[in-house]
Amino acid sequence: MDDDAAHEHLVHLTDEFEESLREHKVECIRCGSHTINLVVNDVTSASERDDDALKHIVKIVKSYRRAEYKKAFKITKTSMPPIPNKTRWNVYYSMATELLENREFFTDMGSQYKEQDLSDYWSFLEEYQEAFQPLYEASMRSQKMECGISQFHLEWLKAFGKVKSLKTNRFTSTVLQSMAKRQQTMTSNIAYKAALFMDPRFSYNGSELFKTDEKTEVVAYLIGVWKKINANFPDVNTEQTSKSDTDTGPMDSSFDINDFFTELFGQGTSARSQAPNSLEEKLHQIQYQDRVNPANENFNVIHYWYTQKVRDERLWKIAQVVYAAASSQAAVERDFSAYNLIFTNSRNRLAGDTIESV
């Protein structure tokens, strides 16, 4: 089975597994990094011409490993562009960046060796790097262990907004179409919705992110989460209030995420409704929380709900469950990679304690 066929087979099995888990009330969160990978695959496969161009560039990059070309890299101390593969699209971006940063060197290579000529592909590489840089940055940030669902969604929307601003790039429309399609799948998940609902950067007084029936659905889900928590923890209820974190953080001068969120979800208002009493009322009240500037890089949604602990500890306990799900499985994959370096074929009798110590 080739790489493409194996990938499609894995996607099919994953969808089947997710469906069977949902029947048992288990929610599956799609890996953010993998979703970005799917977007890039959608875009490059949308145009046969672009796909062929990328394949030709990769073929040239692979040939740099031949002995007759290696010497030139060594003499000039030029970095060898990485060889990408289907499952690690970020390397395609890194390859394009490496070629562009050393354009003069590779142009000279092309003038000396006709088979290495990239003169027909420089504009393609420039647009590729420009279009996929926002997705590359979002992918890198989402692979951090502390990146939860709502933080990933912020990075995702930031990438969407930056790509949208590229009016003349050949990839803009297909990137946006694919992202819109993938976003619809991600945000249809109730656990995903709950993470956005409890994040004041998305859900605030006046926000247009959710419709009324969606808010009702999320509140019902959160009440169900609390019932499961309450099977092991006592029902704690305090009414003191705490000030939320609404500080403004550093802004990207080329792209204003706060303005983009206002365009998407509305400006919001500071108007308040009367103090709620029941847990259901307090969960509904979340939609009226103060707005937090999405450009505030110091904001942490876990810390935010921890400060709300004095208001109602149940909300903090619910938040701990909602934000326990990671947005990406990259950290797990890194663990497996590290494990494979330790538990090798020649060291297959290592005791569990020994492996843990290593």
Side-chain angles (χ1 to χ4, degrees):
M1 190 180 290
D2 61 32
D3 288 346
D4 288 341
H7 177 74
E8 290 300 322
H9 183 59
L10 180 59
V11 170
H12 176 70
L13 290 177
T14 303
D15 288 341
E16 281 191 351
F17 181 61
E18 181 179 348
E19 192 62 36
S20 66
L21 286 176
R22 189 172 287 116
E23 291 175 6
H24 294 85
K25 309 282 186 195
V26 176
E27 291 295 333
C28 296
I29 307 296
R30 291 178 178 269
C31 173
S33 298
H34 179 63
T35 301
I36 292 174
N37 189 40
L38 292 176
V39 169
V40 179
N41 288 340
D42 288 345
V43 174
T44 51
S45 61
S47 166
E48 187 175 342
R49 181 182 175 186
D50 290 340
D51 193 40
D52 287 344
L54 203 55
K55 287 178 180 177
H56 185 75
I57 294 168
V58 171
K59 182 180 178 181
I60 291 175
V61 168
K62 286 181 178 179
S63 71
Y64 291 150
R65 272 69 183 171
R66 299 210 306 250
E68 60 265 39
Y69 306 129
K70 276 187 176 181
K71 188 176 180 180
F73 284 91
K74 187 174 181 180
I75 292 173
T76 59
K77 297 182 179 179
T78 302
S79 299
M80 188 82 71
I83 299 175
N85 59 62
K86 281 282 185 182
T87 60
R88 296 182 64 197
W89 81 268
N90 282 344
V91 187
Y92 281 97
Y93 173 83
S94 299
M95 176 193 71
T97 301
E98 199 74 53
L99 290 169
L100 289 168
E101 286 180 352
N102 297 288
R103 182 169 179 168
E104 185 177 345
F105 170 82
F106 293 110
T107 299
D108 289 342
M109 284 277 285
S111 63
Q112 294 179 50
Y113 306 97
K114 187 177 180 181
E115 67 276 15
Q116 304 292 332
D117 186 16
L118 287 168
S119 57
D120 292 337
Y121 299 98
W122 288 118
S123 63
F124 172 88
L125 287 166
E126 288 170 351
E127 290 188 78
Y128 187 93
Q129 184 193 42
E130 182 184 51
F132 293 120
Q133 182 177 359
L135 285 166
Y136 174 81
E137 292 171 350
S139 178
M140 291 296 98
R141 293 190 183 108
S142 72
Q143 291 180 34
K144 295 180 179 178
M145 290 186 69
E146 66 273 17
C147 184
I149 294 171
S150 62
Q151 184 62 39
F152 166 76
H153 197 68
L154 185 147
E155 300 297 342
W156 172 273
L157 290 180
K158 189 187 296 184
F160 186 95
K162 288 182 177 180
V163 173
K164 188 179 180 182
S165 68
L166 305 175
K167 304 300 183 184
T168 59
N169 192 292
R170 76 175 77 186
F171 298 108
T172 297
S173 61
T174 47
V175 169
L176 296 181
Q177 288 171 14
S178 179
M179 290 188 76
K181 173 186 172 184
R182 300 291 177 185
Q183 180 175 315
Q184 189 173 9
T185 301
M186 289 191 301
T187 55
S188 65
N189 182 286
I190 187 62
Y192 200 103
K193 287 181 180 178
L196 300 185
F197 180 78
M198 295 191 73
D199 192 320
R201 293 171 295 185
F202 298 95
S203 177
Y204 48 83
N205 198 11
S207 170
E208 299 172 5
L209 173 61
F210 293 118
K211 297 177 181 177
T212 303
D213 58 337
E214 289 180 302
K215 294 175 183 176
T216 302
E217 178 191 22
V218 172
V219 169
Y221 169 78
L222 294 174
I223 290 173
V225 169
W226 169 249
K227 287 178 180 178
K228 293 176 183 178
I229 295 172
N230 204 37
N232 297 305
F233 295 94
D235 188 349
V236 180
N237 183 16
T238 56
E239 296 294 338
Q240 297 176 6
T241 58
S242 164
K243 184 179 179 182
S244 63
D245 186 348
T246 56
D247 294 338
T248 302
M251 301 289 287
D252 183 342
S253 58
S254 62
F255 175 74
D256 193 321
I257 184 66
N258 191 40
D259 287 348
F260 185 57
F261 269 42
T262 299
E263 178 187 335
L264 290 176
F265 312 129
Q267 178 63 45
T269 173
S270 59
R272 297 283 185 176
S273 61
Q274 64 183 37
N277 293 314
S278 68
L279 177 61
E280 183 175 356
E281 289 175 326
K282 289 190 175 185
L283 289 170
H284 274 292
Q285 193 73 14
I286 289 174
Q287 65 186 292
Y288 303 115
Q289 61 194 340
D290 290 334
R291 180 183 182 181
V292 170
N293 188 337
N296 180 4
E297 295 181 0
N298 296 320
F299 179 79
N300 184 303
V301 71
I302 302 295
H303 295 168
Y304 171 83
W305 281 107
Y306 181 76
T307 64
Q308 305 299 311
K309 185 177 179 181
V310 294
R311 191 174 88 189
D312 192 317
E313 191 168 350
R314 294 174 299 180
L315 297 179
W316 161 237
K317 288 184 176 180
I318 291 171
Q320 285 179 280
V321 174
V322 169
Y323 294 108
S327 65
S328 169
Q329 64 187 27
V332 178
E333 292 177 359
R334 283 195 292 268
D335 287 342
F336 277 116
S337 296
Y339 180 81
N340 286 337
L341 295 175
I342 298 169
F343 199 79
T344 62
N345 289 336
S346 59
R347 306 175 75 194
N348 60 10
R349 291 191 177 185
L350 289 174
D353 290 343
T354 304
I355 295 172
E356 188 72 25
S357 297
V358 173

